[in-house]
Amino acid sequence: MGMGTSTFVTRWINFLTMVLAMVVIIFGVWMSTRHDACRKSLTIPVLSIGGVIFLISVVGFLGAVKRSSILLWLYLIMLFFILVGILVFTVLVFIVTNNGSGHSVTGLRYKEYQLQDYSSWFLKELNNSHNWERLRVCLVKTEGCNNLSKKYKTYKQYKLAKLTPIEAGCCRPPSECGYPAVNASYYDLTFHPVSPNNDCKRYKNSRAVKCYDCDSCKAGVAQYMKTEWRVVAIFNVVLFAILSIIYFVGCCARRNAARRQSKG
C-alpha cells in the first residue's frame, strides 16, 4: 500500500472512530443521569469503552496526520492489545455459553430452563447473593411479569403464549409444581405441589415476589445472557476482522512514515 494511501485511510478511519467514541461517551453520560439503578450499572463499562476508543483514535489520527512513526507505533501496540482482548473474550464467551438448553413441556409453546444445565461460571455468578439481589431488583422494576396479564387477557391466550426465558422462569412457578393458572399473573396456590422442587414453595402471587428467588428464574436469566452473549461474540468476530484490516493499514502507514523520516 502506498505511503499516501495508507496514511489517508488511517487518518480518516480514526477520525470516524473518534466521532463514534464521542457518541458512546455522550450516551454513557446520559445513562449516568438516569435514576434507574439498572441502567446506571452499565455507565462505567460504556464510558470506559468510549474513553479507550477515543484515546486510541486520537493517537492513530495524530500519528497519521503528522506521519509520526512513534505515535503510529504506540497506536499499533494499543490496537494489538485490543485485538488480543477481543479474541480472548470471544473464545471465553463461546466456552461459557456452550452448555444449557431448554426442556420442552407438554402443552406449553415455550421451554423451561434448569440452572444446573449451565456452566459453573453462570452458577457461581447467579448464586452469589449480592449479584442476584442486584439483578432481582432490576427484574422487579421492569414489571415484565406484571405486564403479562395485560398482554394475555384470557387464560386461553396465556396458555398459547410463547414466553421468553425470563418470563417463563421468573413470572410463573415451574410446570412440575402443578399449580392451576387462574390467569397470566395468578396461580391457585391452595393446591399441594406435586413436585419436591423448592421453587414450588418459593413462588408467590405477590408482584414483588413471584418466582424471583427461584432457581428457574436464575436459569431464565442465564439463558437470556447466553443468547445475548452469543450475539456479542458474533459481533466481536466481525469487529476482530475489521480491526485486523485497520491494523494492517496502520502497519503500512507506520512503515511508510519511518521511511519518510529516514529519508528526511
Side-chain angles (χ1 to χ4, degrees):
M1 186 176 288
M3 181 183 299
T5 304
S6 60
T7 54
F8 175 82
V9 173
T10 301
R11 180 169 64 246
W12 279 104
I13 284 177
N14 284 283
F15 175 78
L16 293 176
T17 52
M18 272 195 294
V19 175
L20 174 63
M22 291 178 67
V23 172
V24 173
I25 291 173
I26 292 172
F27 178 66
V29 173
W30 173 80
M31 290 178 66
S32 67
T33 62
R34 303 281 292 186
H35 297 295
D36 188 348
C38 302
R39 291 177 181 262
K40 279 188 175 181
S41 64
L42 298 173
T43 299
I44 295 178
V46 170
L47 289 175
S48 299
I49 293 173
V52 170
I53 294 175
F54 185 78
L55 176 62
I56 295 176
S57 300
V58 168
V59 173
F61 180 78
L62 292 177
V65 170
K66 297 184 177 182
R67 296 186 178 181
S68 170
S69 178
I70 296 176
L71 287 177
L72 288 174
W73 259 119
L74 182 60
Y75 168 69
L76 291 174
I77 291 173
M78 290 190 292
L79 194 56
F80 174 79
F81 281 111
I82 293 294
L83 285 169
V84 172
I86 291 174
L87 182 62
V88 171
F89 176 76
T90 304
V91 171
L92 288 176
V93 166
F94 278 115
I95 293 174
V96 169
T97 60
N98 188 47
N99 299 328
S101 59
H103 301 267
S104 298
V105 180
T106 304
L108 298 180
R109 299 185 66 188
Y110 52 87
K111 293 182 177 181
E112 292 187 333
Y113 302 88
Q114 297 179 1
L115 186 59
Q116 62 268 23
D117 292 342
Y118 293 87
S119 67
S120 57
W121 185 87
F122 274 120
L123 293 176
K124 179 182 177 182
E125 292 299 313
L126 293 175
N127 282 325
N128 181 288
S129 58
H130 176 73
N131 291 344
W132 183 248
E133 182 58 30
R134 183 162 48 85
L135 287 170
R136 188 185 185 283
V137 170
C138 293
L139 289 171
V140 174
K141 282 188 175 183
T142 57
E143 295 193 344
C145 293
N146 298 326
N147 291 330
L148 287 181
S149 58
K150 299 177 183 178
K151 291 170 61 177
Y152 311 108
K153 299 184 181 300
T154 65
Y155 172 72
K156 184 178 180 180
Q157 289 178 332
Y158 179 55
K159 190 175 181 179
L160 296 175
K162 291 184 178 180
L163 302 183
T164 66
I166 291 180
E167 289 173 342
C170 304
C171 304
R172 55 182 297 280
S175 58
E176 63 184 279
C177 299
Y179 293 133
V182 178
N183 54 46
S185 61
Y186 190 87
Y187 284 78
D188 188 349
L189 302 183
T190 60
F191 280 70
H192 184 74
V194 297
S195 171
N197 190 335
N198 289 328
D199 285 354
C200 299
K201 298 179 181 179
R202 292 171 180 149
Y203 176 82
K204 296 290 184 292
N205 285 314
S206 170
R207 301 176 66 175
V209 180
K210 292 294 182 181
C211 214
Y212 294 127
D213 293 321
C214 300
D215 286 343
S216 62
C217 186
K218 295 178 181 178
V221 172
Q223 179 63 26
Y224 171 80
M225 293 172 65
K226 173 185 174 180
T227 303
E228 293 296 306
W229 282 23
R230 281 296 177 94
V231 174
V232 172
I234 294 173
F235 171 78
N236 280 348
V237 171
V238 176
L239 180 62
F240 183 85
I242 295 174
L243 289 180
S244 296
I245 296 174
I246 294 175
Y247 184 82
F248 169 74
V249 175
C251 286
C252 294
R254 186 213 57 81
R255 184 173 62 249
N256 292 332
R259 289 176 180 174
R260 185 173 179 276
Q261 289 178 356
S262 62
K263 290 180 180 179

